[in-house]
Amino acid sequence: MKSPLVWKTLKISPALLGLSLFVTSNAYAAVPNQTATNESTVKLNNPLSEMSVEIDSLQIASDVSPGLSPTNTTADPNRELLEQIQRYSGENNTESLDQVTSVGQLRDVSPGDWAYEALRSLVERYGCIAGYPDGTYRGNRALTRYEFAAGLNSCLQQIERLMVGDTPDGTELETLRRLIQEFEAELATLGARVDNLEGRVAFLEDNQFSTTTKLRGEVIFNLGSAFGDEKADNSGEDIEDNITLSHRTRLNFDTSFTGEDRLRVRLQAGNTPEFDEATGTEMARLGFEAASNNDVEVNDLYYRFPLGDNIRLLVGANGFDFNDIAEIHNPILESSGTGALNRFNRRNPFVFRNNAEQGVGANIQFSDFLSLDLAYLTGESNSPADKDGLFDGDFTAISQLNLALGEKLDLGFAFGYSYYPGEDVNLSGSTGSPRAKEPFGEIATSALRFGIQGSWRLTPTINLAGWGGYIDAEAEAGAREGDNADLWTWVANVSFLDLGKEGAALSIMGGMPPKLTNVDGGDEDEDTSFLIEAQYQYPITDNILITPGAYVILNPNHDDGNDNIWVGTIRTTFSF
C-alpha cells in the first residue's frame, strides 16, 4: 500500500493540474505592464527532506517591487523571489485576493458556468482559489503573471502542509517526480506563450508615442447659423445670418511621472464663429468657441498631484479655471465637445466662470460621500504691471462642498469671493446681459458668489440636472463706492439616455442667463431673458458623435424690445 504522503500528494495533484490548465487557457490575455526581465527559477523546499520542486521558465515582471529586479543579487535569490510572491499575494489594497472556502461566496460564479465544477473542486477540496474583496471571482478578466505565481504558490503550500509529519521513501519520490513531469509540458507551453507576448510588448514599447505621455485628440466640425431680425445691441443692424462651416481642433498631452499625477498640455486651434458679434448678445455664444483664426495656442496648462491618500493639489499656468478643479454636477451636458451647444447651458457661470487664467486648487476627499474643492484663481498673474500679478490684480477665492447622496443624487454647494481692480470686470462669465457683466462699469468691484448645482439619475435612462446662482456685488471705488447690486441665474435640464441607440441622448434645457437686479444708483435689467435649447446626441461609432440641435433666446439681453434670436447647429465630434 501507498504511504499517506503519496495519497495526499495524489489528492493535491488535480488542484495543481487545474491551476496550470487555467493559466494556460488565459495566457494570451495577460500582457505585463512593462518589459519582463530575465528568466528566474522558483523552488519550494520541503523542510523534512532535500527534495525540491523546480519550475523552469517562469518569468517575473519587475514593475511592482525593486526586489524582483534582475540586478538584485542575494545569497538565496530563489527564496527571496518566493517571499516576494507571497508578499504580493497578501498585499492589503483594494485589489488584494481573499481566500474563500465555498464557491457560493463568489457572487459572479453560477452553476451554469462551464468551469463551475472545476472551481468548486479547487475552492472546497483544495483551498487553492481566492476571490476579490467585493465577493467576485472575475473569471473573464485577464490573468497576470503575478496572480498566477501567487495562486501556484498557494497550492504548493498546500502540498507542504499535507507532507508535514511524513517522510517520503523512494517509491513516493518517484511518484512525485512523475507528477512534476506532468507539469513540465504545461509550463513549457505557458513559457512559449509568455515569450511571444513579451516580444509583442517589446515591439509596442519600441514604437510607442511616449513612455510617460498619452496623446488624446478631439476635432469638431460645425455647420451652424444664427437667425432673427435685428441685433440685440440697439445698433439697428440686421443679424449676420449666413450659414457657416467651422472647426475646433484640440490635442491633449497628458503626462504622468509617478502614475498618480498628471501634467496636462492642450494645444488648440479653430475658426468657430463668434455669434455674440453676429447677434449683439453674449447669450448666443457657442459652448465650443475657438475664434483664434486657426492660430495654434496653449489652451490649457496645469499639473495635479496627490498629497497623501485624500488630497489632490493642482497648479495651473494658463486657461485654468474652477471647472478644472471642481465637480460641475452636469454630467451629460458639461463637455464643450459633446455637451450643451450653448455656452451658458454647460455650467453655472457664477461658480465656474471667473475670468481666471492661472491659479492653485485642491480636492479633499473626506469620505465616499463628502468632498471639498478649493481654489485661488487670477486673471493676470503673469503680468508684473500695476493692478496685475498674483495678488494685486483680479482674483477669486472659491470653494465647493460636494455631497453624494447614494449612487443617483449628487449636490454641490459653492461659495466664493471675487475682486476686480477696475479692469476686465466680468461677473456673468460672458453669458448674460451687459449690465450683469459690469454692474457699476469699469470701476473696482467685489462680489460674493453663491451657487448650488446638482444631478439626479431619476431612472437608468433619465437624468435631471440644474443649478441656481446669486451674486452680491459692491462698488469699491469712485463716486459709486458702496453701491450694491444683485445678480441671479438658473438652469434646469433633462436628458433621455439610450434613446434610439445605445449611447444616444435627447436633452432639453432652459433657464435664465445672468440678470442684474436691485442696483443702487444705476439701471437694472427690467425684463427677463430665457434661453431654451434642444439637442440630440447620436453616436455613429465609439469615436464619432453627431449632435444636431438649436437654441432660442427670448427677450435677448433681458430686454423685451429685442427680437428673439435663434441659433441652429449640427456639431460632429471626432475623438481619438
Side-chain angles (χ1 to χ4, degrees):
M1 293 182 63
K2 302 286 186 182
S3 72
L5 173 63
V6 174
W7 289 113
K8 291 177 181 179
T9 304
L10 291 175
K11 288 169 61 181
I12 285 297
S13 61
L16 291 174
L17 181 58
L19 180 62
S20 295
L21 291 174
F22 174 75
V23 171
T24 302
S25 65
N26 287 274
Y28 281 122
V31 179
N33 291 329
Q34 300 185 18
T35 307
T37 65
N38 62 309
E39 293 187 355
S40 303
T41 301
V42 180
K43 291 185 178 180
L44 176 66
N45 297 319
N46 186 341
L48 302 179
S49 70
E50 297 180 356
M51 179 195 68
S52 65
V53 179
E54 185 174 291
I55 305 171
D56 294 322
S57 301
L58 179 62
Q59 299 180 349
I60 307 297
S62 62
D63 59 339
V64 172
S65 173
L68 299 182
S69 171
T71 60
N72 184 25
T73 57
T74 63
D76 190 352
N78 294 330
R79 180 180 298 277
E80 183 174 348
L81 188 58
L82 184 57
E83 291 174 354
Q84 293 286 343
I85 294 173
Q86 291 171 335
R87 282 199 297 271
Y88 171 81
S89 64
E91 284 182 351
N92 184 21
N93 54 50
T94 57
E95 292 295 322
S96 61
L97 304 176
D98 293 335
Q99 183 64 50
V100 296
T101 58
S102 172
V103 72
Q105 295 175 251
L106 303 173
R107 55 187 178 85
D108 60 343
V109 176
S110 63
D113 295 334
W114 67 271
Y116 177 80
E117 289 299 327
L119 285 173
R120 187 171 66 86
S121 179
L122 290 172
V123 170
E124 299 178 1
R125 296 180 60 186
Y126 304 109
C128 289
I129 297 296
Y132 286 88
D134 61 359
T136 62
Y137 180 62
R138 308 181 191 177
N140 293 324
R141 194 177 70 84
L143 177 71
T144 68
R145 292 159 64 199
Y146 275 123
E147 292 171 328
F148 161 70
L152 182 59
N153 181 55
S154 176
C155 286
L156 293 176
Q157 287 178 334
Q158 182 74 352
I159 288 181
E160 281 191 300
R161 286 193 292 270
L162 291 176
M163 291 173 61
V164 172
D166 295 303
T167 302
D169 55 24
T171 303
E172 293 166 341
L173 290 175
E174 181 62 29
T175 301
L176 291 177
R177 292 190 184 97
R178 188 168 62 251
L179 292 175
I180 293 172
Q181 291 174 356
E182 293 181 8
F183 288 105
E184 288 179 349
E186 304 297 339
L187 293 173
T189 301
L190 175 61
R193 293 182 175 182
V194 171
D195 289 341
N196 180 46
L197 290 174
E198 287 176 354
R200 294 167 60 187
V201 171
F203 173 81
L204 292 175
E205 289 183 341
D206 291 340
N207 294 273
Q208 65 182 327
F209 170 72
S210 170
T211 58
T212 60
T213 302
K214 291 183 178 180
L215 171 63
R216 296 182 174 89
E218 181 185 80
V219 177
I220 295 175
F221 285 2
N222 184 65
L223 186 69
S225 180
F227 303 94
D229 293 326
E230 293 185 355
K231 293 183 179 181
D233 56 2
N234 297 321
S235 66
E237 298 178 358
D238 292 338
I239 288 177
E240 300 170 8
D241 56 4
N242 283 321
I243 297 176
T244 63
L245 176 62
S246 59
H247 83 97
R248 189 193 74 181
T249 300
R250 283 181 170 179
L251 295 177
N252 289 334
F253 297 87
D254 291 330
T255 303
S256 179
F257 305 99
T258 67
E260 297 180 345
D261 61 340
R262 183 172 78 176
L263 173 65
R264 161 67 62 83
V265 180
R266 174 187 291 160
L267 302 181
Q268 176 175 291
N271 60 1
T272 54
E274 298 178 280
F275 281 138
D276 55 329
E277 296 183 0
T279 61
T281 175
E282 291 184 330
M283 298 178 182
R285 294 181 64 177
L286 293 170
F288 49 94
E289 280 188 359
S292 64
N293 198 27
N294 288 323
D295 292 334
V296 179
E297 58 185 11
V298 178
N299 174 259
D300 205 7
L301 177 61
Y302 67 82
Y303 179 61
R304 74 182 189 192
F305 57 95
L307 183 64
D309 295 332
N310 301 318
I311 301 177
R312 184 176 62 180
L313 302 180
L314 300 93
V315 180
N318 191 61
F320 190 67
D321 209 333
F322 197 44
N323 59 281
D324 290 313
I325 302 170
E327 174 63 42
I328 297 176
H329 298 288
N330 191 24
I332 310 302
L333 300 168
E334 67 185 26
S335 170
S336 65
T338 60
L341 300 172
N342 179 266
R343 174 183 172 90
F344 167 65
N345 284 325
R346 288 180 52 205
R347 53 180 180 258
N348 191 338
F350 288 177
V351 177
F352 300 105
R353 298 193 184 278
N354 301 297
N355 204 37
E357 289 291 336
Q358 303 87 25
V360 295
N363 307 121
I364 305 174
Q365 192 73 37
F366 299 109
S367 68
D368 292 340
F369 312 104
L370 182 65
S371 65
L372 180 66
D373 304 317
L374 302 170
Y376 177 85
L377 306 162
T378 69
E380 297 288 346
S381 68
N382 61 311
S383 171
D386 187 37
K387 295 185 179 181
D388 283 337
L390 187 59
F391 300 109
D392 194 41
D394 66 88
F395 72 89
T396 295
I398 193 166
S399 64
Q400 177 174 257
L401 184 67
N402 303 292
L403 299 178
L405 305 179
E407 297 181 356
K408 298 181 179 181
L409 180 60
D410 295 315
L411 295 174
F413 301 90
F415 170 74
Y417 175 81
S418 296
Y419 178 80
Y420 301 88
E423 298 178 356
D424 301 322
V425 178
N426 189 347
L427 300 185
S428 68
S430 298
T431 61
S433 67
R435 291 192 181 101
K437 186 175 183 177
E438 298 175 340
F440 313 107
E442 292 188 357
I443 63 174
T445 302
S446 65
L448 293 175
R449 297 173 177 267
F450 302 87
I452 179 173
Q453 35 276 333
S455 175
W456 181 23
R457 183 60 64 89
L458 185 61
T459 71
T461 59
I462 300 178
N463 190 86
L464 303 177
W467 66 74
Y470 168 72
I471 287 181
D472 180 9
E474 181 177 352
E476 298 288 350
R480 300 191 63 181
E481 183 177 0
D483 286 353
N484 291 94
D486 297 333
L487 289 84
W488 298 89
T489 187
W490 60 268
V491 153
N493 62 65
V494 58
S495 297
F496 302 93
L497 310 179
D498 297 331
L499 185 65
K501 182 179 181 180
E502 183 177 1
L506 173 65
S507 299
I508 301 172
M509 63 213 78
M512 182 185 72
K515 177 181 178 179
L516 179 66
T517 64
N518 300 327
V519 185
D520 295 336
D523 296 328
E524 63 181 36
D525 291 322
E526 297 182 357
D527 303 313
T528 301
S529 298
F530 294 101
L531 198 157
I532 303 171
E533 176 181 332
Q535 60 154 269
Y536 182 56
Q537 302 172 16
Y538 186 81
I540 303 300
T541 69
D542 292 338
N543 303 100
I544 303 177
L545 179 71
I546 294 182
T547 308
Y551 52 88
V552 59
I553 307 164
L554 307 178
N555 307 323
N557 288 340
H558 299 295
D559 184 352
D560 62 7
N562 292 326
D563 297 322
N564 297 336
I565 295 174
W566 294 78
V567 176
T569 180
I570 301 176
R571 181 185 62 198
T572 304
T573 306
F574 305 86
S575 58
F576 54 93

